[in-house]
Amino acid sequence: MYLLFDIGGTKIRLTTSDGKTINSPQVSPTPINYQDGLKIFRNFIKDKKVTAVSGGIPGPLDHQKTKLEDSPQLPNWINKPLKIDLSKIIKAPVFLENDAALAGLGEAIRGGGKGYSVVAYLTVSTGVGGAKIVDGRIDKNVHGFEPGQMMVKDGKLGQFVSGMALEKKYKMKPEQIKDPKIWGKVAKVLAEGINNLILDWSPNVVVLGGSIMKSIDIKKVEKYLRSDLTIYKDIPSLKLASLENLSGLYGALEYLKQML
């Protein structure tokens, strides 16, 4: 039995798998404190016999993929020996990866990017993340992918379209924002970021996931993108992620099988 997890900026999802399907996940708020996060794993595992573990966490990892090097969402988890601690708790091999990269892998294999060779995945949620998936694998990289840090006209993409940024600017939860003008502005900045992503990664398809995408009109994003991206005759397809909150867990399963 495998243990799969998806540590996000606001929620942790844990589940088990037989290697083919995944079970309904346990969902918990992501603790601010790292040790409290480890307690969630201890309570979940109990007497389960696990042969291997895989999961994602938001932010760039060290080269050995053992710990977070940075994370705006989880500052108290930075430089904590996550891989070592989980190995001790679960007594099984642990494979860590960036959470958005695993979500992208899940969407490329089973979701919105299924059937495409080169998939650009972008998640717009508490933060902004993503990855380039080539032939069903996370593309080779040195420091990981951090598209939320890309520069757009007035700053970094994540500073304008992420849930954290929107809540800070408008003093309310993103889902409470109902003004279409605000979401129109967000769509325009997002299109600028996607334009950069396409020019850098040259994908067949761009898959857009994350909770904030529920409030953004993808047709407006495509309209702005067509206006900005003129060097190509055709732009890649824009598709919404289809696995919803399970993208990262399905990606963790696929990543685990690849690593084993």
Side-chain angles (χ1 to χ4, degrees):
M1 179 175 65
Y2 299 147
L3 173 64
L4 309 173
F5 65 88
D6 181 10
I7 302 173
T10 57
K11 295 178 182 177
I12 291 180
R13 292 180 172 82
L14 286 164
T15 191
T16 55
S17 170
D18 60 3
K20 296 179 180 179
T21 61
I22 64 174
N23 297 311
S24 296
Q26 170 189 295
V27 183
S28 308
T30 304
I32 295 174
N33 183 273
Y34 171 73
Q35 291 297 330
D36 290 338
L38 294 182
K39 287 180 183 178
I40 291 177
F41 282 88
R42 288 193 185 96
N43 292 335
F44 181 82
I45 198 67
K46 293 183 180 178
D47 298 325
K48 295 182 177 69
K49 294 182 179 179
V50 174
T51 56
V53 185
S54 177
I57 190 166
L61 302 170
D62 64 327
H63 291 311
Q64 292 74 38
K65 297 189 185 298
T66 65
K67 60 185 178 180
L68 274 177
E69 287 193 327
D70 194 11
S71 179
Q73 295 95 344
L74 301 176
N76 293 318
W77 293 59
I78 296 172
N79 288 324
K80 298 297 194 301
L82 181 60
K83 180 173 181 175
I84 294 174
D85 287 342
L86 290 181
S87 297
K88 290 178 180 178
I89 292 170
I90 304 166
K91 296 179 175 57
V94 176
F95 301 98
L96 295 182
E97 186 48 271
N98 173 267
D99 64 334
L102 291 184
L105 181 60
E107 287 292 333
I109 299 295
R110 297 176 181 248
K114 185 177 181 180
Y116 293 93
S117 177
V118 182
V119 178
Y121 176 75
L122 190 69
T123 178
V124 189
S125 189
T126 306
V128 176
K132 181 183 181 183
I133 312 297
V134 179
D135 294 332
R137 290 180 175 269
I138 299 169
D139 199 22
K140 292 181 180 179
N141 60 82
V142 176
H143 297 289
F145 302 101
E146 289 295 334
Q149 298 295 311
M150 78 170 74
M151 299 302 295
V152 290
K153 184 182 297 184
D154 298 313
K156 297 177 181 178
L157 180 63
Q159 295 174 330
F160 298 97
V161 304
S162 71
M164 289 178 64
L166 292 171
E167 184 172 350
K168 181 179 180 180
K169 182 173 182 178
Y170 296 107
K171 312 302 181 186
M172 66 178 79
K173 298 289 185 181
E175 59 268 24
Q176 297 173 322
I177 300 173
K178 304 302 181 183
D179 188 344
K181 291 183 179 179
I182 292 175
W183 290 114
K185 292 178 181 178
V186 174
K188 193 174 192 313
V189 178
L190 180 59
E192 187 176 342
I194 294 172
N195 175 78
N196 295 341
L197 209 63
I198 291 171
L199 292 173
D200 286 343
W201 291 353
S202 192
N204 300 107
V205 62
V206 179
V207 179
L208 302 168
S211 59
I212 301 301
M213 286 307 305
K214 295 177 181 178
S215 300
I216 300 174
D217 186 345
I218 194 171
K219 291 183 179 179
K220 284 189 176 180
V221 176
E222 185 173 1
K223 177 183 175 182
Y224 289 127
L225 181 61
R226 288 187 180 278
S227 176
D228 293 341
L229 189 60
T230 58
I231 194 168
Y232 299 138
K233 182 179 179 180
D234 300 307
I235 67 170
S237 300
L238 297 188
K239 293 194 173 186
L240 291 174
S242 62
L243 300 178
E244 297 185 345
N245 295 327
L246 300 181
S247 300
L249 295 175
Y250 277 116
L253 175 59
E254 185 64 30
Y255 183 67
L256 179 54
K257 291 192 291 185
Q258 292 176 4
M259 296 302 290
L260 292 175

